Amino acid sequence: MDDLWHQEIDKATTEAEVVRSASDYLGVWAPRELAPAALGLSEMRVKTSDEVVLVNYRLSSHPEKVASTARQAAHLRELAGYFGHAASRIFDIRRRQLRPAA
């Protein structure tokens, strides 16, 4: 199942598509006991590409501020992998947009 989510990110051609996938993923996979504020969000969804990048940063740079249990830590590693991929895709899309057309 996880591969399908990553494939969705790989197929995205716009930041909006990445954001939509990331928001859906977060809604499905985020543990119920995880507070949105722990991810730097006001609710358990992402609305902008900057929020995707923020969640990636929070999960990869400061996981101890997010996870309070071993179960949460394991789950958050999965979330971090996904959001790392999503943030990377956003940066790829932005780079492509900045390149002059040949």
Side-chain angles (χ1 to χ4, degrees), residues 11-89:
K11 291 189 304 185
T13 58
T14 67
E15 289 185 42
E17 290 173 350
V18 176
V19 170
R20 189 172 27 259
S21 291
S23 188
D24 291 347
Y25 185 88
L26 187 61
V28 169
W29 290 102
R32 295 198 188 281
E33 63 272 7
L34 179 63
L39 298 174
L41 301 170
S42 59
E43 57 188 286
M44 196 53 83
R45 60 184 294 209
V46 292
K47 299 176 189 163
T48 67
S49 51
D50 289 338
E51 287 183 337
V52 171
V53 173
L54 173 66
V55 171
N56 175 57
Y57 173 77
R58 294 289 295 248
L59 290 172
S60 62
S61 300
H62 302 291
E64 71 283 352
K65 292 182 180 178
V66 180
S68 60
T69 68
R71 184 171 147 243
Q72 278 184 333
H75 189 76
L76 290 173
R77 280 191 295 277
E78 184 177 338
L79 281 172
Y82 178 85
F83 274 88
H85 185 195
S88 176
R89 185 70 183 132

